[in-house]
Coordinates of all heavy atoms in Angstrom, one line a residue:
I1 N 23.2 76.9 21.8 CA 24.4 76.3 22.1 C 25.0 75.7 20.8 O 26.2 75.9 20.6 CB 24.2 75.1 23.1 CG1 23.8 75.7 24.5 CG2 25.5 74.2 23.2 CD1 23.4 74.6 25.4
L2 N 24.2 75.1 19.9 CA 24.7 74.6 18.7 C 25.2 75.7 17.8 O 26.3 75.5 17.1 CB 23.6 73.8 18.0 CG 23.2 72.4 18.6 CD1 22.0 71.8 17.9 CD2 24.4 71.5 18.6
T3 N 24.5 76.8 17.7 CA 24.9 77.9 16.9 C 26.2 78.5 17.4 O 27.2 78.8 16.6 CB 23.9 79.0 16.9 OG1 22.6 78.5 16.4 CG2 24.3 80.2 16.0
A4 N 26.3 78.6 18.7 CA 27.5 79.2 19.3 C 28.7 78.2 19.0 O 29.8 78.7 18.7 CB 27.4 79.3 20.8
F5 N 28.5 76.9 19.2 CA 29.6 76.0 18.9 C 30.0 76.0 17.4 O 31.2 76.0 17.1 CB 29.1 74.6 19.2 CG 30.1 73.5 18.9 CD1 31.2 73.3 19.7 CD2 30.0 72.7 17.8 CE1 32.2 72.4 19.4 CE2 31.0 71.8 17.5 CZ 32.1 71.6 18.3
Y6 N 29.0 76.2 16.5 CA 29.3 76.2 15.1 C 30.2 77.4 14.8 O 31.2 77.4 14.1 CB 28.0 76.3 14.3 CG 28.3 76.4 12.8 CD1 28.6 75.3 12.0 CD2 28.2 77.7 12.2 CE1 28.8 75.4 10.7 CE2 28.4 77.8 10.8 CZ 28.7 76.7 10.1 OH 29.0 76.8 8.7
V7 N 29.8 78.6 15.4 CA 30.6 79.8 15.1 C 31.9 79.7 15.7 O 32.9 80.1 15.1 CB 29.8 81.0 15.8 CG1 30.7 82.3 15.7 CG2 28.5 81.3 15.0
F8 N 32.0 79.2 17.0 CA 33.3 79.0 17.6 C 34.2 78.1 16.8 O 35.4 78.4 16.6 CB 33.1 78.4 19.0 CG 34.3 78.3 19.8 CD1 34.9 79.4 20.4 CD2 34.9 77.1 20.0 CE1 36.0 79.4 21.2 CE2 36.1 77.0 20.7 CZ 36.7 78.1 21.3
K9 N 33.6 77.0 16.4 CA 34.4 76.0 15.6 C 34.9 76.6 14.4 O 36.1 76.4 14.0 CB 33.5 74.8 15.3 CG 34.2 73.7 14.4 CD 33.2 72.6 14.0 CE 33.9 71.7 13.0 NZ 32.9 70.7 12.5
N10 N 34.1 77.3 13.6 CA 34.5 77.7 12.3 C 35.4 79.0 12.4 O 36.2 79.2 11.5 CB 33.3 78.0 11.4 CG 32.7 76.7 10.9 OD1 33.1 76.2 9.9 ND2 31.7 76.2 11.7
N11 N 35.2 79.8 13.4 CA 36.0 81.1 13.4 C 37.2 81.0 14.4 O 38.1 81.8 14.3 CB 35.1 82.2 13.8 CG 34.1 82.5 12.7 OD1 34.3 82.3 11.6 ND2 32.9 83.0 13.1
F12 N 37.2 80.1 15.4 CA 38.2 80.2 16.4 C 39.0 78.9 16.5 O 40.1 78.9 16.9 CB 37.6 80.5 17.7 CG 36.9 81.8 17.8 CD1 35.6 82.0 17.6 CD2 37.7 83.0 18.0 CE1 35.0 83.3 17.6 CE2 37.2 84.2 18.1 CZ 35.8 84.4 17.9
I13 N 38.5 77.8 16.1 CA 39.2 76.5 16.3 C 39.9 76.0 15.0 O 41.0 75.7 15.0 CB 38.3 75.4 16.8 CG1 37.8 75.8 18.2 CG2 39.0 74.1 16.9 CD1 36.8 74.8 18.8
V14 N 39.1 76.0 13.9 CA 39.6 75.4 12.7 C 40.1 76.5 11.7 O 39.3 77.4 11.4 CB 38.5 74.6 12.0 CG1 39.0 74.0 10.7 CG2 38.0 73.5 12.9
A15 N 41.3 76.4 11.3 CA 41.9 77.4 10.4 C 41.7 76.9 8.9 O 41.4 77.6 8.0 CB 43.4 77.6 10.6
A16 N 41.8 75.5 8.8 CA 41.6 74.9 7.5 C 41.5 73.4 7.7 O 41.8 72.8 8.7 CB 42.8 75.2 6.5
T17 N 41.0 72.7 6.6 CA 41.0 71.2 6.6 C 41.7 70.8 5.3 O 41.5 71.4 4.3 CB 39.6 70.7 6.7 OG1 38.8 71.2 5.6 CG2 39.0 71.1 8.0
V18 N 42.4 69.7 5.4 CA 43.0 69.1 4.2 C 42.6 67.6 4.2 O 43.0 66.8 5.0 CB 44.6 69.1 4.3 CG1 45.2 68.5 3.0 CG2 45.0 70.6 4.4
D19 N 41.7 67.3 3.2 CA 41.1 65.9 3.1 C 40.5 65.5 4.4 O 40.7 64.4 4.8 CB 42.2 64.9 2.7 CG 42.7 65.2 1.3 OD1 42.0 65.7 0.4 OD2 43.9 64.9 1.0
G20 N 39.8 66.5 5.0 CA 39.2 66.1 6.3 C 40.0 66.3 7.5 O 39.5 66.3 8.6
R21 N 41.3 66.4 7.3 CA 42.2 66.6 8.4 C 42.3 68.1 8.8 O 42.5 68.9 8.0 CB 43.6 66.1 8.1 CG 44.6 66.1 9.2 CD 45.8 65.3 8.9 NE 46.7 65.2 10.0 CZ 47.5 64.2 10.2 NH1 47.5 63.1 9.4 NH2 48.3 64.1 11.3
V22 N 42.1 68.3 10.1 CA 42.0 69.7 10.6 C 43.4 70.3 10.9 O 44.2 69.7 11.5 CB 41.2 69.7 11.9 CG1 41.2 71.1 12.6 CG2 39.7 69.3 11.6
I23 N 43.5 71.6 10.4 CA 44.6 72.4 10.8 C 44.0 73.4 11.8 O 43.2 74.3 11.4 CB 45.3 73.1 9.6 CG1 45.9 72.1 8.7 CG2 46.4 74.1 10.1 CD1 46.4 72.7 7.4
S24 N 44.4 73.3 13.1 CA 43.8 74.2 14.1 C 44.3 75.6 14.0 O 45.4 75.8 13.5 CB 44.0 73.6 15.5 OG 45.4 73.8 15.8
R25 N 43.5 76.5 14.4 CA 43.9 77.9 14.4 C 45.0 78.1 15.4 O 45.9 78.9 15.3 CB 42.7 78.8 14.8 CG 43.0 80.3 14.6 CD 41.7 81.1 14.6 NE 42.1 82.5 14.3 CZ 41.2 83.5 14.3 NH1 39.9 83.2 14.5 NH2 41.5 84.7 14.0
Y26 N 45.0 77.3 16.5 CA 46.0 77.4 17.5 C 47.4 77.0 16.9 O 48.4 77.7 17.2 CB 45.7 76.5 18.7 CG 46.9 76.3 19.7 CD1 47.1 77.4 20.6 CD2 47.7 75.2 19.7 CE1 48.2 77.3 21.5 CE2 48.7 75.1 20.6 CZ 49.0 76.1 21.5 OH 50.0 76.1 22.4
S27 N 47.4 76.0 16.1 CA 48.7 75.6 15.5 C 49.2 76.6 14.5 O 50.4 76.9 14.4 CB 48.5 74.2 14.8 OG 47.6 74.3 13.7
L28 N 48.2 77.3 13.8 CA 48.6 78.3 12.9 C 49.2 79.5 13.6 O 50.3 80.0 13.3 CB 47.3 78.8 12.1 CG 47.5 80.1 11.3 CD1 48.5 79.9 10.2 CD2 46.1 80.5 10.7
I29 N 48.6 79.9 14.7 CA 49.1 81.1 15.5 C 50.4 80.7 16.1 O 51.3 81.6 16.1 CB 48.1 81.4 16.6 CG1 46.8 82.0 16.0 CG2 48.7 82.4 17.6 CD1 45.6 82.2 17.0
K30 N 50.6 79.5 16.6 CA 51.8 79.0 17.2 C 53.0 79.1 16.1 O 54.1 79.6 16.4 CB 51.7 77.6 17.7 CG 52.9 77.1 18.5 CD 52.6 75.8 19.1 CE 53.7 75.3 19.9 NZ 53.5 73.9 20.5
E31 N 52.7 78.7 14.9 CA 53.7 78.8 13.8 C 54.0 80.2 13.4 O 55.2 80.5 13.2 CB 53.2 78.0 12.6 CG 54.2 77.8 11.5 CD 55.4 77.0 11.9 OE1 55.3 76.1 12.8 OE2 56.5 77.2 11.4
L32 N 53.0 81.0 13.4 CA 53.2 82.5 13.1 C 54.1 83.1 14.2 O 54.9 84.0 13.9 CB 51.9 83.2 12.9 CG 51.1 82.9 11.7 CD1 49.7 83.5 11.8 CD2 51.8 83.4 10.4
E33 N 53.8 82.7 15.4 CA 54.6 83.3 16.5 C 56.0 82.9 16.4 O 56.9 83.7 16.7 CB 54.0 82.9 17.8 CG 52.7 83.7 18.2 CD 52.4 83.5 19.7 OE1 52.7 82.4 20.3 OE2 51.8 84.4 20.3
K34 N 56.3 81.7 16.0 CA 57.7 81.2 15.8 C 58.4 82.0 14.8 O 59.6 82.4 15.0 CB 57.7 79.7 15.4 CG 57.5 78.7 16.5 CD 57.6 77.3 15.8 CE 57.2 76.2 16.8 NZ 57.3 74.9 16.2
Q35 N 57.7 82.4 13.7 CA 58.3 83.1 12.6 C 58.5 84.6 12.9 O 59.5 85.2 12.6 CB 57.5 82.9 11.3 CG 57.5 81.4 10.9 CD 56.6 81.2 9.7 OE1 56.3 82.2 8.9 NE2 56.1 80.0 9.4
N36 N 57.4 85.2 13.4 CA 57.5 86.6 13.6 C 57.1 87.2 14.9 O 56.9 88.4 15.1 CB 56.5 87.3 12.5 CG 56.9 86.9 11.1 OD1 58.0 87.2 10.7 ND2 56.0 86.2 10.4
G37 N 56.9 86.3 15.9 CA 56.4 86.7 17.2 C 57.2 87.8 17.9 O 56.6 88.8 18.3
K38 N 58.5 87.6 17.9 CA 59.4 88.6 18.6 C 59.3 90.0 17.9 O 59.1 91.0 18.5 CB 60.8 88.1 18.6 CG 61.7 89.0 19.4 CD 63.1 88.5 19.4 CE 64.0 89.3 20.4 NZ 64.0 90.7 20.1
T39 N 59.3 90.0 16.5 CA 59.3 91.2 15.8 C 58.0 91.9 16.0 O 57.9 93.1 16.3 CB 59.5 90.9 14.3 OG1 60.7 90.3 14.1 CG2 59.4 92.2 13.5
V40 N 56.9 91.2 15.9 CA 55.5 91.8 16.1 C 55.3 92.3 17.5 O 54.8 93.4 17.7 CB 54.4 90.8 15.7 CG1 53.0 91.3 16.0 CG2 54.5 90.4 14.3
L41 N 55.8 91.5 18.5 CA 55.6 91.9 19.9 C 56.4 93.2 20.1 O 56.0 94.1 20.8 CB 56.1 90.8 20.8 CG 56.0 91.1 22.3 CD1 54.5 91.5 22.7 CD2 56.5 89.9 23.1

């Protein structure tokens, strides 16, 4: 469970951290979709 959580956290939840503050992968994808979502789709 701990290994799975670690992998999930590092590969799927967290995109980056800035001074300990998390930038989530979801927020990154959301921003990318705003910029290029229609074109890519």
Side-chain angles (χ1 to χ4, degrees):
I1 292 170
L2 289 175
T3 302
F5 177 74
Y6 177 81
V7 171
F8 183 78
K9 175 185 173 184
N10 284 276
N11 291 332
F12 295 98
I13 296 178
V14 180
T17 58
V18 181
D19 294 331
R21 186 168 185 148
V22 171
I23 297 174
S24 71
R25 190 165 184 182
Y26 172 76
S27 65
L28 170 62
I29 293 171
K30 191 175 179 182
E31 188 62 31
L32 288 171
E33 283 195 331
K34 278 184 188 177
Q35 296 175 22
N36 301 300
K38 188 178 186 306
T39 301
V40 173
L41 181 58

